[in-house]
Amino acid sequence: MLKTKKEIILETALHLFADKGYEATPTSLIAKAAGVSEGLIFKHYVSKGNLLEAIVKAGYRRATDKSKSLIEEKDPAKFISNMLDMPLKLVEDERSFWRMQFRLVDEEIAQKHHLRFSHSVKQKLVAAFAQLGYEEPEMETEVLMLLVEGLWKAYLTSADKPHFVKMLDLSKKKYIGELIDNR
Amino acid sequence: MLKTKKEIILETALHLFADKGYEATPTSLIAKAAGVSEGLIFKHYVSKGNLLEAIVKAGYRRATDKSKSLIEEKDPAKFISNMLDMPLKLVEDERSFWRMQFRLVDEEIAQKHHLRFSHSVKQKLVAAFAQLGYEEPEMETEVLMLLVEGLWKAYLTSADKPHFVKMLDLSKKKYIGELIDNR
DNA sequence: GTCTATATGTTGATAGAC
DNA sequence: GTCTATCAACATATAGAC
């Protein structure tokens, strides 16, 4: 199926935002790279901020779809392990999106979606730790989330998958080693 | 001692950069907030990027001084514990600086100093883990650094010190629990 | 849907007087 | 050292023709 110019604009902007940053990417450059006129961007997306929002929204929709199987896991130990696997699974095929996303420290739109996404995970994580009898499930969750986010960014910049998998394995051993040794 | 206008400009810019971000803070606003003319900023600092560099440089000089005692620790177990304590120790009194710093994802100047700083720590961390007989000291270091950076950012945004200290304690237990139980 | 102008506003930076 | 005045460059966004 052919891509509409609207879609081309979106994808081109995503890659440019990921590479150069949102603020540092003028709409004129997006237009040139996408092979369309600058005016067309505004016809389709009204404003630059709106274009960004469309990109972020679409990205998180894909992420939600892709992570569904990991999140629906009922066994608490496996669920925790799944959370550590999320970076690896989600970044695959979506490197540009996540590079862009983790750069958008100043844009509240990006922050909003990130919070919503991680919040939904957090709830289940606390429940999982509680179910396993941990003394401070909330604390455990917060520290684990810190590590997951760190792994996420690490995998984004490393691009060395085997090396990253070693980091991931060590993390699992440290955090839930006793739980997954026999999985 | 009186502050020179040059110093006032530097400090004002630091706080504005921390609050609104570097790109989003025009020199006109810095001038207004500092109570000086816009031209004076350029007389003293030549360019906006130069002003940022001066701020970053000064901040890391203070950080290096303050972390000296933590870094010079010779006992490997205590040294590792010290690294986990760094966020708490360094962020104190320097909240604005570190908030600004962790926002500067797009500015290479900031990245450069951050890398240099963490690299110097990394070397010693690998040595410490090796000295303690860990199988993969490099991996241990990388994962620990991930967590330290996470704690750093967490403490910056939480502002709830007791809560953060609980996270810190749990982290220590997970990472070096067997080593520091009796310290 | 798409393009070619063009309007409008900001920003970083400079020149010159005091 | 400091201020006032000013500029060129650039960015987002709009209007109107095809």
Side-chain angles (χ1 to χ4, degrees):
Chain A
M1 61 193 181
L2 278 98
K3 281 177 187 162
T4 67
K5 293 212 168 180
K6 193 176 175 182
E7 289 169 325
I8 293 175
I9 291 170
L10 198 96
E11 287 171 23
T12 307
L14 165 60
H15 289 291
L16 287 171
F17 291 167
D19 286 346
K20 302 171 41 95
Y22 171 71
E23 303 266 12
T25 305
T27 51
S28 60
L29 182 63
I30 300 171
K32 208 177 67 180
V36 300
S37 70
E38 200 174 348
L40 191 61
I41 295 176
F42 291 93
K43 280 288 178 208
H44 280 309
Y45 294 101
V46 182
S47 73
K48 192 188 174 186
N50 222 298
L51 168 60
L52 175 65
E53 188 168 3
I55 294 173
V56 173
K57 237 177 193 164
Y60 273 100
R61 225 172 46 84
R62 294 194 299 273
T64 305
D65 289 350
K66 222 174 196 176
S67 63
K68 217 170 186 182
S69 61
L70 294 180
I71 286 181
E72 281 172 349
E73 172 65 52
K74 293 301 174 195
D75 179 78
K78 279 183 192 159
F79 176 76
I80 294 169
S81 174
N82 280 357
M83 292 309 100
L84 280 159
D85 284 325
M86 271 190 70
L88 195 63
K89 175 143 190 184
L90 288 191
V91 167
E92 216 80 61
D93 310 319
E94 297 278 356
R95 272 212 133 67
S96 287
F97 174 71
W98 291 109
R99 259 199 327 179
M100 182 199 74
Q101 175 62 12
F102 280 117
R103 266 193 158 190
L104 290 174
V105 190
D106 291 327
E107 259 56 47
E108 56 188 51
I109 311 141
Q111 239 48 34
K112 195 186 81 182
H113 284 264
H114 178 67
L115 266 179
R116 187 196 302 167
F117 189 73
S118 64
H119 193 69
S120 72
V121 166
K122 209 168 175 174
Q123 308 284 25
K124 302 206 177 194
L125 217 35
V126 175
F129 277 119
Q131 209 174 330
L132 288 169
Y134 277 68
E135 279 185 29
E136 302 176 298
E138 291 87 1
M139 266 327 135
E140 295 279 351
T141 298
E142 288 196 48
V143 176
L144 183 64
M145 294 283 285
L146 243 50
L147 187 68
V148 169
E149 194 150 316
L151 286 168
W152 213 305
K153 289 174 190 173
Y155 185 41
L156 269 178
T157 48
S158 86
D160 180 353
K161 190 167 172 178
H163 180 79
F164 175 77
V165 171
K166 283 177 95 176
M167 285 177 70
L168 187 54
D169 285 343
L170 182 60
S171 301
K172 284 190 185 175
K173 220 185 289 177
K174 284 241 176 289
Y175 271 80
I176 45 172
E178 61 277 15
L179 302 173
I180 58 158
D181 274 351
N182 56 347
R183 89 198 168 107
Chain B
M1 62 191 180
L2 278 99
K3 280 177 187 162
T4 66
K5 294 211 168 179
K6 192 175 176 183
E7 289 170 325
I8 293 174
I9 291 170
L10 197 96
E11 287 172 22
T12 307
L14 165 59
H15 288 291
L16 287 171
F17 290 167
D19 285 346
K20 301 170 42 94
Y22 171 71
E23 302 267 13
T25 304
T27 51
S28 59
L29 181 63
I30 300 171
K32 207 177 68 181
V36 301
S37 70
E38 199 175 347
L40 191 61
I41 295 175
F42 291 93
K43 279 290 179 205
H44 279 309
Y45 294 102
V46 182
S47 74
K48 193 188 174 187
N50 222 299
L51 168 61
L52 175 65
E53 188 167 2
I55 294 173
V56 173
K57 235 176 194 165
Y60 273 99
R61 224 172 47 85
R62 295 194 300 273
T64 305
D65 289 351
K66 222 174 195 176
S67 63
K68 217 171 185 181
S69 61
L70 294 181
I71 287 181
E72 281 172 349
E73 172 64 53
K74 294 301 174 194
D75 179 79
K78 279 183 192 158
F79 176 76
I80 294 169
S81 174
N82 280 357
M83 292 308 101
L84 280 160
D85 285 324
M86 270 189 70
L88 195 64
K89 175 142 191 185
L90 287 192
V91 167
E92 217 81 61
D93 312 319
E94 297 277 357
R95 273 211 134 66
S96 288
F97 174 71
W98 292 108
R99 260 196 329 176
M100 182 200 75
Q101 175 63 12
F102 280 116
R103 265 191 161 193
L104 291 174
V105 190
D106 291 328
E107 258 55 48
E108 57 188 49
I109 310 141
Q111 239 47 33
K112 195 185 83 182
H113 283 264
H114 178 67
L115 266 180
R116 187 196 302 168
F117 189 73
S118 63
H119 193 69
S120 73
V121 166
K122 210 168 174 176
Q123 308 285 26
K124 301 205 178 194
L125 216 37
V126 174
F129 277 121
Q131 209 173 330
L132 288 169
Y134 278 70
E135 278 185 29
E136 301 176 299
E138 290 88 1
M139 265 329 133
E140 295 280 350
T141 298
E142 288 196 49
V143 176
L144 183 64
M145 294 283 285
L146 242 50
L147 186 69
V148 169
E149 195 149 316
L151 286 167
W152 213 305
K153 288 174 191 174
Y155 185 42
L156 268 179
T157 48
S158 86
D160 180 354
K161 191 167 171 178
H163 180 79
F164 175 77
V165 171
K166 282 177 95 176
M167 286 177 69
L168 187 55
D169 285 344
L170 182 60
S171 301
K172 284 190 184 174
K173 220 185 289 177
K174 284 239 177 291
Y175 272 80
I176 45 174
E178 62 278 13
L179 301 173
I180 58 159
D181 276 349
N182 55 349
R183 88 198 169 105

